[in-house]
Amino acid sequence: MNGVEKQKKSDWLKDSIIKAGQLDREAFEMLYAKYLTPIYRYFVIRTSDKALSEDLAHSVFLKAWDNSDKLNDADKALSWLFVIARNTLIDYWRKKKEILVDDIELLENAGETEDISEEHENKQRIEKINSVLSKLSEDQKEIILMKFFEGLTNEEICAITKKSSIAIRALQYRALTSLKKILEDETQKF
């Protein structure tokens, strides 16, 4: 795809998002199709429950539809949806008092794995990630998940968490330093 085609696609997406903010059903459906997967993944990573993640993701889009008039900047649609997702998850946690983490690879390979040994390896990988991440603070864990599992930029993370870019960079640095130490300590045990 050349630069002109990319720009046209970007302009088309921006127009669709603006129309979605004006309660245009077709435009909102395009917004839904474009961003459902990242929002769903956000929940799967944190809940380890595919059915619950689907429900929460759909809830995000229902809330987005109800508040579509608040979407003013098409470039920030994903951040806006992640803010809604984050608040939805916080509400869910308040009700359930349960925080879990999942391995992104399990989501990407969902339904493709029929080999029991591969499923077992995925489970072990998830347990290892849960073990390591559980040793971080909640803020550090959230930054690591957003940055490295969901591939969000620092600017998007700032918009979602309502923290400054300096705070995000500091949290990310401390989290990575802590992870490195945790992994070194665990390697020395063997």
Side-chain angles (χ1 to χ4, degrees):
M1 190 180 291
N2 65 31
V4 173
E5 290 172 339
K6 284 182 183 178
Q7 184 61 41
K8 285 181 181 179
K9 186 174 182 180
S10 176
D11 291 344
W12 171 81
L13 179 61
K14 287 179 185 180
D15 290 343
S16 295
I17 291 169
I18 290 167
K19 287 179 184 174
Q22 299 167 346
L23 296 178
D24 181 321
R25 181 183 170 152
E26 186 177 317
F28 196 83
E29 287 173 358
M30 287 186 276
L31 178 77
Y32 178 86
K34 174 119 176 109
Y35 295 123
L36 177 62
T37 300
I39 298 300
Y40 170 74
R41 193 177 323 148
Y42 174 87
F43 290 120
V44 168
I45 289 170
R46 286 160 178 79
T47 66
S48 298
D49 185 329
K50 292 177 186 176
L52 173 63
S53 297
E54 286 178 19
D55 291 344
L56 292 172
H58 291 298
S59 175
V60 165
F61 283 95
L62 288 173
K63 290 176 183 177
W65 175 259
D66 290 341
N67 295 292
S68 60
D69 59 319
K70 295 178 182 170
L71 177 60
N72 300 324
D73 186 351
D75 291 329
K76 296 183 180 176
L78 184 60
S79 296
W80 178 68
L81 289 169
F82 269 114
V83 168
I84 296 170
R86 183 174 188 247
N87 292 337
T88 300
L89 190 60
I90 289 169
D91 291 344
Y92 171 76
W93 283 339
R94 283 184 186 140
K95 291 177 186 170
K96 295 295 180 185
K97 304 278 184 195
E98 184 177 291
I99 302 173
L100 300 173
V101 177
D102 199 350
D103 184 358
I104 192 69
E105 287 182 35
L106 187 63
L107 171 62
E108 291 171 349
N109 297 327
E112 296 177 10
T113 306
E114 294 189 19
D115 184 7
I116 293 174
S117 65
E118 192 174 329
E119 284 292 330
H120 180 69
E121 288 174 20
N122 282 339
K123 242 182 183 173
Q124 286 179 325
R125 200 174 307 132
I126 291 168
E127 289 171 7
K128 177 72 172 171
I129 290 171
N130 281 333
S131 170
V132 172
L133 289 178
S134 70
K135 296 174 184 173
L136 297 176
S137 73
E138 287 303 314
D139 283 343
Q140 290 175 341
K141 183 175 12 177
E142 183 176 39
I143 296 302
I144 292 296
L145 290 171
M146 286 183 181
K147 181 73 176 180
F148 300 105
F149 285 80
E150 294 158 13
L152 297 177
T153 65
N154 284 0
E155 183 180 287
E156 291 169 325
I157 295 170
C158 290
I160 293 166
T161 61
K162 307 282 191 253
K163 293 181 187 211
S164 71
S165 62
I166 294 170
I168 296 301
R169 285 194 305 268
L171 270 170
Q172 182 179 327
Y173 175 78
R174 286 193 302 267
L176 291 173
T177 302
S178 295
L179 280 174
K180 182 178 177 185
K181 181 166 178 15
I182 292 166
L183 292 172
E184 285 173 356
D185 291 347
E186 288 190 11
T187 304
Q188 290 176 357
K189 289 180 185 178
F190 296 108

